[in-house]
């Protein structure tokens, strides 16, 4: 696939250099046939200690009931000196609904564990296409319920749990927050939706612009949504919990932090989601980082714009947790 001819925002110069290097290893468009190979590169449990590094953080894994009562796993991260009850961070990982695991994208949540003496619970939801909708979001909701029910033994203040996720994890975090609202489930103090995958309909300007270029382009997005929804993708029979952009009422939700890049597929749906929260009288902080491609903060963490993006998220979490 060639780069789209539709005008699009330029990439940040630092990030453009990273994209050039990435192009040799990662094609912009992921197809269904690539899913098995992509999963081989997923971080595995043996690498968790490397992920934690020299942070004073301990972790333990629990087997819990997921959707339909089937067993899934969650891993709990806390400071080694954690006592009492701290804020809870419930983490839903990214990976386009088709890859990744509960250790994907954890570097910033682990920073929050260390800085705020929080306890992070990261859920191993089941992946499409083997486990299509509603498995992923229902697994995530089941993990949130378990976290709230076991808050005391986990060292979490049940009145201070926020949900956070990036990409597909951002969409699942939004869907889980909607489920918690509608089922009168665990109360959340906030939702951190990091360049969230929210809309299956392939109808925005940004999805047309980012086609054959960048990271996670329009074709990749169609691959992910098709794995999750099958023939229902883009049709009328898709729930708001699978594709939160379809929700017409975003009232009664916890405050949201939403960010994305200006040069990524998810830009327009993320901006629209923030606007819909405001229209419902809710609270949302929105950042659109100029020249950012999808996941640039993870792939180019030392770039100036990545540092600003990470700092903005942490500042919002700090205000939410510390008041």
């Amino acid at each position: 696939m060639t780069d789209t001819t539709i005008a699009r925002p330029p990439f940040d110069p630092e990030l453009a250099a990273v994209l050039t290097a990435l192009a040799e290893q990662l094609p912009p468009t992921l197809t269904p046939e690539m899913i098995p190979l992509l999963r081989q590169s997923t971080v595995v449990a043996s690498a968790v200690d490397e992920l934690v590094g020299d942070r004073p953080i301990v972790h333990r894994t629990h087997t819990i009931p997921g959707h339909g009562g089937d067993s899934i796993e969650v891993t709990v991260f806390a400071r080694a000196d954690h006592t009492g009850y701290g804020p809870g961070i419930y983490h839903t990982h990214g990976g386009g609904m088709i890859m990744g695991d509960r250790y994907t994208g954890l570097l910033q949540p682990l920073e929050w564990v260390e800085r705020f003496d929080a306890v992070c619970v990261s859920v191993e939801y089941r992946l499409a296409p083997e486990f299509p909708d509603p498995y992923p979001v229902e697994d995530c909701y089941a993990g949130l319920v378990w976290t709230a029910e076991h808050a005391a033994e986990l060292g979490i203040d049940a009145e201070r749990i926020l949900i956070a996720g990036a990409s597909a994890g951002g969409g699942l975090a939004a869907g889980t927050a909607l489920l918690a609202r509608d089922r009168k489930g665990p109360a959340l103090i906030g939702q951190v939706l990091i360049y969230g995958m929210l809309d299956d309909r392939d109808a925005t300007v940004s999805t047309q612009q980012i086609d054959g270029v960048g990271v996670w382009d329009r074709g990749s997005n169609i691959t992910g949504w098709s794995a999750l929804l099958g023939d229902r993708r883009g049709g009328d029979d898709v729930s708001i919990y699978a594709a939160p952009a379809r929700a017409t009422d975003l009232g009664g939700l916890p405050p949201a932090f939403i960010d994305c890049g200006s040069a990524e597929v998810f830009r327009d749906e993320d901006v629209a989601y923030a606007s819909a929260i405001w229209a419902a009288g809710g609270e949302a902080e929105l950042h659109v980082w100029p020249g950012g491609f999808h996941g640039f903060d993870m792939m180019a963490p030392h770039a100036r714009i990545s540092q600003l993006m990470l700092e903005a998220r942490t500042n919002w979490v700090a205000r939410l947790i510390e008041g």
Side-chain angles (χ1 to χ4, degrees), residues 23-319:
E24 301 177 3
Q25 312 166 33
L26 185 68
T29 303
L30 307 182
T31 64
E33 296 74 26
M34 295 178 185
I35 293 175
L37 182 62
L38 292 167
R39 289 180 180 173
Q40 289 179 15
S41 64
T42 295
V43 176
V44 294
S46 60
V48 178
D49 290 334
E50 183 179 337
L51 175 68
V52 172
D54 59 1
R55 298 180 188 272
I57 290 175
V58 295
H59 58 87
R60 57 193 186 278
T61 295
H62 299 264
T63 300
I64 69 167
H67 178 48
D70 300 328
S71 294
I72 61 172
E73 291 185 326
V74 298
T75 297
V76 181
F77 298 85
R79 275 189 357 199
D81 64 351
H82 178 75
T83 58
Y85 304 110
I89 300 165
Y90 184 69
H91 177 251
T92 53
H93 73 79
M97 305 290 180
I98 56 176
M99 57 185 171
D101 64 20
R102 63 189 182 276
Y103 308 116
T104 302
L106 267 180
L107 287 179
Q108 192 157 37
L110 290 181
E111 175 194 338
W112 299 339
V113 167
E114 186 175 9
R115 175 170 169 176
F116 304 121
D117 196 15
V119 176
C120 176
V121 179
S122 191
V123 60
E124 189 78 21
Y125 61 86
R126 286 167 286 181
L127 300 173
E130 295 87 346
F131 295 95
D133 177 62
Y135 280 91
V137 73
E138 290 287 358
D139 279 349
C140 291
Y141 181 71
L144 176 63
V145 170
W146 180 88
T147 298
E149 290 177 345
H150 294 79
E153 64 194 73
L154 296 173
I156 293 173
D157 178 353
E159 303 298 317
R160 288 195 297 159
I161 299 174
L162 66 90
I163 191 168
S167 193
L172 289 166
T176 300
L178 287 166
L179 280 171
R181 178 196 69 180
D182 295 345
R183 293 177 180 173
K184 304 191 186 315
L188 295 166
I189 62 168
Q191 50 181 332
V192 181
L193 311 181
I194 301 169
Y195 33 76
M197 181 178 176
L198 303 173
D199 196 339
D200 65 295
R201 292 168 291 192
D202 188 36
T204 65
V205 171
S206 58
T207 193
Q208 306 294 322
Q209 290 176 319
I210 311 301
D211 191 354
V213 65
V215 173
W216 195 262
D217 74 339
R218 179 188 184 190
S220 303
N221 207 35
I222 290 172
T223 294
W225 281 114
S226 296
L228 183 71
L229 300 173
D231 292 341
R232 292 185 294 129
R233 181 185 65 82
D236 296 331
D237 186 25
V238 176
S239 82
I240 65 172
Y241 312 117
R246 289 175 172 264
T248 57
D249 177 11
L250 295 184
L253 291 171
F257 178 95
I258 299 172
D259 65 10
C260 59
S262 69
E264 70 165 300
V265 165
F266 299 133
R267 181 196 68 217
D268 291 350
E269 60 206 66
D270 292 344
V271 171
Y273 204 70
S275 295
I277 290 173
W278 295 324
E283 180 183 338
E285 179 169 321
L286 172 67
H287 294 260
V288 182
W289 295 98
F293 62 81
H294 184 63
F296 70 87
D297 58 314
M298 291 191 292
M299 297 183 188
H302 301 299
R304 175 59 177 157
I305 196 168
S306 301
Q307 293 293 307
L308 292 170
M309 185 186 220
L310 295 167
E311 183 181 7
R313 283 187 210 132
T314 295
N315 287 342
W316 187 86
V317 171
R319 295 194 302 274

